[in-house]
């Protein structure tokens, strides 16, 4: 028999003993008004010692994850912990925050305050700030209750919006991730707060970010806005000049070649313009900015440079659909 098999059997025996012991302790003596145990004092001492041994075996099987989270928290607040130690701890914290069983207790484990403080502190190492934002974004992903906790107890929405205009592109990148995670499928719950803190205007600015990774995340978020209860973000973004920004990017790409802007992100830009055409103010902006003419120039450039034909066909099909919509 292998060592692993023997260890597994030992753990099962230990669990069985604890279950039998628990049953024995809760037997009810019908002559008494409370639960009692028929074991003698010496038998009780013997059983307690057996329980202690069995629990030591089971502790190796059933790990106390919250004890581990507390160890991570202690590392994060320790003045003697190195930057690398904290980066490692935050990487693990982010993984925990992907699991609702832990993210729901982000405030009770006192991680919320730490993550918010780290992310907001411009004197911190960029990696620490980035990972803190990432952990917060992971925590609020499609979890209404966690979203409420992070917004109400950690001022998370205000933090995400503030970081959209951070000097470091890594921070802007994770801030967009946080905004999209918070707003997706939340209806109009955070509309007033987001607009009041200037979130829409900053998102539009990020759509024109010099770092294409930042711009790409904004574009993807806006391209799926109609199916994630975020149409209001698109409508407000149009009022903030989104269509003009995107059409100008298309013009630049068409004039200077596809290397000027990511071709993959260019498809996302076209998809955002398609989504914008779903409401009246968006259609008016598309006409005002001569979007169709600029998009056709883009298609011609992509064909001339012999880019992936499937991508060219996809963009061309979207442009044709826009032409049909804007005729009416």
């Amino acid at each position: 028999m292998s060592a692993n098999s023997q260890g597994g059997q030992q753990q099962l025996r230990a669990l069985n003993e604890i279950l039998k012991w628990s049953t024995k302790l809760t037997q009810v003596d019908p002559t008494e008004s409370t639960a009692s145990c028929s074991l003698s004092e010496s038998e009780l001492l013997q059983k307690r010692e057996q329980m202690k041994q069995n629990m030591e075996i089971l502790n190796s099987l059933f790990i106390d994850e919250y004890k581990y989270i507390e160890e991570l928290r202690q590392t994060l607040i320790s003045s003697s912990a190195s930057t690398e130690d904290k980066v490692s701890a935050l990487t693990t914290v982010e993984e925990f925050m992907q699991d609702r069983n832990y993210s729901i207790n982000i405030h009770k484990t006192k991680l919320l305050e730490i993550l918010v403080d780290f992310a907001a502190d411009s004197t911190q190492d960029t990696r620490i700030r980035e990972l803190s934002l990432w952990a917060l974004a992971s925590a609020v992903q499609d979890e209404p209750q966690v979203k409420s906790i992070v917004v109400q107890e950690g001022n998370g929405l205000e933090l995400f919006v503030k970081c959209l205009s951070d000097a470091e592109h890594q921070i802007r990148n994770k801030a967009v991730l946080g905004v999209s995670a918070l707003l997706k499928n939340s209806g109009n719950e955070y509309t007033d707060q987001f607009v009041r803190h200037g979130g829409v205007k900053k998102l539009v600015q990020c759509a024109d970010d010099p770092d294409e990774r930042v711009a790409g995340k904004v574009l993807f978020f806006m391209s799926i806005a109609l199916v994630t209860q975020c149409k209001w973000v698109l409508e407000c973004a149009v009022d903030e000049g989104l269509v003009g920004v995107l059409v100008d990017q298309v013009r630049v790409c068409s004039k200077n070649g596809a290397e000027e802007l990511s071709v993959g992100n260019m498809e996302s830009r076209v998809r955002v313009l398609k989504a914008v055409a779903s409401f009246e103010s968006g259609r008016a902006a598309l006409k005002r900015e001569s979007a169709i003419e600029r998009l056709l120039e883009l298609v011609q450039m992509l064909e001339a440079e012999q880019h992936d034909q499937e991508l060219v066909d996809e963009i061309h099909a979207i442009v044709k659909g826009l032409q049909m919509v804007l005729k009416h």
Side-chain angles (χ1 to χ4, degrees):
M1 184 180 294
S2 68
N4 287 341
S5 178
Q6 289 178 336
Q9 288 194 358
Q10 187 180 27
Q11 290 167 341
L12 287 173
R13 283 197 299 271
L15 181 58
N16 187 48
E17 283 296 317
I18 288 177
L19 290 173
K20 288 194 297 184
W21 175 231
S22 300
T23 302
K24 186 76 173 177
L25 281 178
T26 55
Q27 287 180 342
V28 177
D29 184 343
T31 65
E32 300 289 340
S33 60
T34 58
S36 63
C37 177
S38 61
L39 297 178
S40 66
E41 187 64 30
S42 61
E43 288 175 322
L44 279 172
L45 290 173
Q46 182 183 3
K47 285 294 183 183
R48 286 182 182 130
E49 181 59 31
Q50 291 176 355
M51 281 279 285
K52 181 179 178 182
Q53 294 173 1
N54 288 331
M55 286 302 296
E56 289 173 353
I57 295 172
L58 288 176
N59 281 339
S60 65
L61 179 63
F62 300 108
I63 301 173
D64 185 352
E65 298 286 9
Y66 279 102
K67 181 179 179 181
Y68 184 33
I69 289 176
E70 174 58 20
E71 291 173 358
L72 294 172
R73 189 185 74 84
Q74 289 297 331
T75 298
L76 295 175
I77 64 175
S78 172
S79 58
S80 61
S82 68
T83 297
E84 295 303 323
D85 289 338
K86 292 183 178 182
V87 166
S88 178
L90 284 167
T91 300
T92 305
V93 166
E94 190 279 324
E95 292 172 356
F96 272 114
M97 291 301 102
Q98 295 177 32
D99 187 335
R100 187 185 186 280
N101 292 317
Y102 303 108
S103 64
I104 195 68
N105 291 315
I106 188 173
H107 54 320
K108 294 179 181 178
T109 53
K110 300 181 180 179
L111 287 174
L112 177 58
E113 182 179 356
I114 294 172
L115 295 173
V116 169
D117 287 347
F118 276 170
D121 185 359
S122 60
T123 66
Q124 287 284 353
D125 185 280
T126 299
R127 292 172 298 168
I128 289 177
R129 298 183 64 209
E130 180 184 12
L131 284 165
S132 297
L133 278 170
W134 193 1
L136 289 167
S138 295
V140 301
Q141 186 73 39
D142 295 325
E143 290 295 343
Q145 191 172 349
V146 182
K147 290 180 182 184
S148 179
I149 291 169
V150 171
V151 170
Q152 294 180 15
E153 299 192 27
N155 291 322
L157 185 149
E158 187 173 353
L159 171 69
F160 287 143
V161 171
K162 180 180 178 182
C163 289
L164 287 173
S165 55
D166 195 87
E168 302 292 337
H169 68 85
Q170 300 97 319
I171 304 304
R172 299 195 302 275
N173 191 17
K174 291 302 185 290
V176 174
L177 188 67
V179 165
S180 61
L182 181 65
L183 298 183
K184 280 193 299 186
N185 300 316
S186 295
N188 296 321
E189 185 171 355
Y190 303 111
T191 303
D192 291 342
Q193 286 176 267
F194 191 68
V195 172
R196 185 169 67 250
H197 290 298
V200 176
K201 184 176 182 178
K202 289 186 178 183
L203 266 186
V204 172
Q205 291 170 347
C206 284
D208 198 26
D209 199 277
D211 189 293
E212 279 284 277
R213 289 167 296 183
V214 177
K217 279 189 170 56
V218 176
L219 294 167
F220 177 75
F221 169 54
M222 290 189 171
S223 70
I224 61 172
L226 298 180
V227 295
T228 57
Q229 302 179 32
C230 288
K231 181 181 178 182
W232 65 268
V233 177
L234 270 182
E235 292 173 330
C236 292
V238 167
D239 292 340
E240 292 288 350
L242 175 66
V243 173
V245 168
L246 298 183
V247 170
D248 191 56
Q249 291 170 348
V250 170
R251 181 190 59 77
V252 169
C253 188
S254 301
K255 180 180 178 181
N256 300 336
E259 291 185 2
E260 185 75 19
L261 293 166
S262 163
V263 174
N265 279 352
M266 190 53 61
E267 181 184 8
S268 295
R269 289 177 172 92
V270 176
R271 291 190 178 280
V272 174
L273 293 175
K274 177 184 177 182
V276 163
S278 66
F279 50 91
E280 186 175 348
S281 62
R283 291 190 291 273
L286 289 169
K287 292 177 181 178
R288 185 171 60 250
E289 298 292 342
S290 303
I292 295 299
E293 290 84 344
R294 301 291 82 78
L295 288 169
L296 288 174
E297 291 171 1
L298 173 67
V299 171
Q300 290 172 2
M301 181 277 296
L302 292 174
E303 289 178 336
E305 292 191 0
Q306 297 183 332
H307 283 279
D308 178 62
Q309 191 59 46
E310 185 176 346
L311 174 64
V312 175
D313 291 343
E314 181 70 20
I315 292 177
H316 202 179
I318 294 174
V319 174
K320 286 181 177 179
L322 281 174
Q323 283 179 304
M324 297 294 294
V325 170
L326 296 183
K327 280 182 179 178
H328 300 289

